[in-house]
Amino acid sequence: MAVSLEITFLGTSSPIHTGHRFGPCQVVSGGGVNLLIDIGWGATLRLYQAGIPPQRIDAVFFTHLHSDHTTDMADFLVMRWVGGATAPLPVYGPAGTARMVAGFREALAADTKFRLDHHGEKLSPVATECDVKEVSAGEEPAVIATVGEIAVKAFHVDHRPVMPAFGYRLERNGRSVVISGDTVACAGLLNGSQGADLLVCDSMNKRMMADVEGRLRGIGNELQASLLADAHTYHASVEDGAAIARDAGVKHLVLSHVMPAIVPEQEAEFTAGLDAIYDGKISVAHDLERFPLE
Ligand SMILES: [Zn+2]
Ligand SMILES: [Zn+2]
């Protein structure tokens, strides 16, 4: 059977940098189209590692404007351009996206001029130009874009004080991949995940996070411990993710944006007890891992 949709994880971590998990970012592909959902730190490097160079990305969708989901945009824009892109990049995101994109482009303005002066007509004058559409979303998923044969639906999620914040549901050939964005359990996520083949859910193991915070306090890093403790209020717990997957009838739950940034030996502890909540398939995402849906 042909693949209807495929998700490739580029980064599965959160704002704190680690060597084994990069910033939140994934590609959803189908019918020759590649859509990039968020551009977390290290995403451009991961695109090359995944064999999907930036010029093969057809559109970008931002879930929200937290730095861990956005800051590789500058590298991405340059590498897409010098990789041969000749049309403005379609970009979708919440209010504030246009200002953010303009800022990244402005930061690159000197570089853009230097390269055009040096390489002349070999490079497209389009350079880092983007076609930005700021969209809105409610608690029911609604189509905000169709790229090739992939329909992209947005729904609002609860990541307060970050507003607006979206999740996305991508559909092709009757198959569906849902990306929660950063959120606690909420009506938008439940509605957006109904019957999904695969749900990528924000996931925090609060017990393991408390251990990390305790260790930070033990070495006198009270600030970082306290910042991590604040993060508990706006990320879904692993138990919440499992309950949403159960209630929405999701077929496969993939935990990503994993907090803390566990290594493989910790996965059993990370997911302990979830099978008592949800009896579908549960995976912990890894950078550069792919899940095809036939
Ligand atoms: Zn995040
Ligand atoms: Zn966030």
Side-chain angles (χ1 to χ4, degrees):
M1 285 253 311
V3 171
S4 293
L5 279 176
E6 179 170 67
I7 183 164
T8 303
F9 287 89
L10 301 179
T12 59
S13 192
S14 61
I16 309 298
H17 287 214
T18 68
H20 59 290
R21 291 182 182 273
F22 285 14
C25 184
Q26 45 266 304
V27 180
V28 176
S29 308
V33 162
N34 298 304
L35 306 181
L36 192 58
I37 317 297
D38 288 334
I39 314 185
W41 49 274
T44 309
L45 169 62
R46 287 290 197 226
L47 278 170
Y48 289 103
Q49 292 172 329
I52 312 170
Q55 64 271 21
R56 286 187 48 210
I57 295 295
D58 297 286
V60 170
F61 295 81
F62 287 108
T63 59
H64 65 298
L65 303 185
H66 257 154
S67 61
D68 50 322
H69 298 251
T70 63
T71 54
D72 221 47
M73 180 73 168
D75 263 348
F76 175 79
L77 287 174
V78 175
M79 298 315 291
R80 175 180 181 269
W81 176 37
V82 302
T86 56
L89 172 71
V91 177
Y92 299 82
T97 301
R99 180 183 175 204
M100 178 186 76
V101 170
F104 282 127
R105 295 193 61 223
E106 176 61 23
L108 294 167
D111 172 83
T112 303
K113 181 176 183 307
F114 296 146
R115 292 189 194 285
L116 283 170
D117 288 349
H118 182 59
H119 298 292
E121 290 178 0
K122 292 178 200 166
L123 284 175
S124 166
V126 156
T128 61
E129 215 171 290
C130 297
D131 177 11
V132 181
K133 289 192 176 67
E134 293 187 349
V135 297
S136 54
E139 288 187 345
E140 291 292 339
V143 175
I144 56 145
T146 303
V147 188
E149 297 172 352
I150 303 178
V152 183
K153 297 177 176 177
F155 52 89
H156 197 269
V157 295
D158 184 355
H159 190 42
R160 284 174 290 174
V162 181
M163 291 181 73
F166 301 154
Y168 290 111
R169 180 182 179 108
L170 301 103
E171 299 177 342
R172 177 172 178 261
N173 287 350
R175 307 308 295 266
S176 51
V177 169
V178 174
I179 294 164
S180 71
D182 288 9
T183 183
V184 295
C186 63
L189 179 58
L190 180 64
N191 296 336
S193 304
Q194 285 299 323
D197 291 294
L198 189 150
L199 165 63
V200 180
C201 197
D202 184 8
S203 54
M204 177 187 283
N205 185 305
K206 299 202 172 191
R207 211 173 40 248
M208 294 172 84
M209 279 295 282
D211 290 345
V212 171
E213 292 151 21
R215 282 199 293 278
L216 286 166
R217 287 199 176 90
I219 59 169
N221 197 339
E222 181 60 38
L223 172 65
Q224 191 127 62
S226 158
L227 293 177
L228 289 179
D230 287 348
H232 288 230
T233 62
Y234 66 5
H235 290 288
S237 68
V238 289
E239 290 83 7
D240 287 344
I244 287 278
R246 175 196 65 208
D247 295 346
V250 166
K251 295 182 184 68
H252 182 185
L253 170 65
V254 183
L255 301 173
S256 190
H257 202 290
V258 300
M259 301 180 77
I262 54 167
V263 294
E265 298 71 48
Q266 296 174 296
E267 283 176 21
E269 184 184 354
F270 192 78
T271 59
L274 299 188
D275 53 359
I277 301 171
Y278 168 67
D279 61 9
K281 184 179 177 188
I282 300 174
S283 305
V284 177
H286 306 109
D287 288 23
L288 298 174
E289 191 169 22
R290 291 179 144 97
F291 292 102
L293 298 174
E294 292 182 342

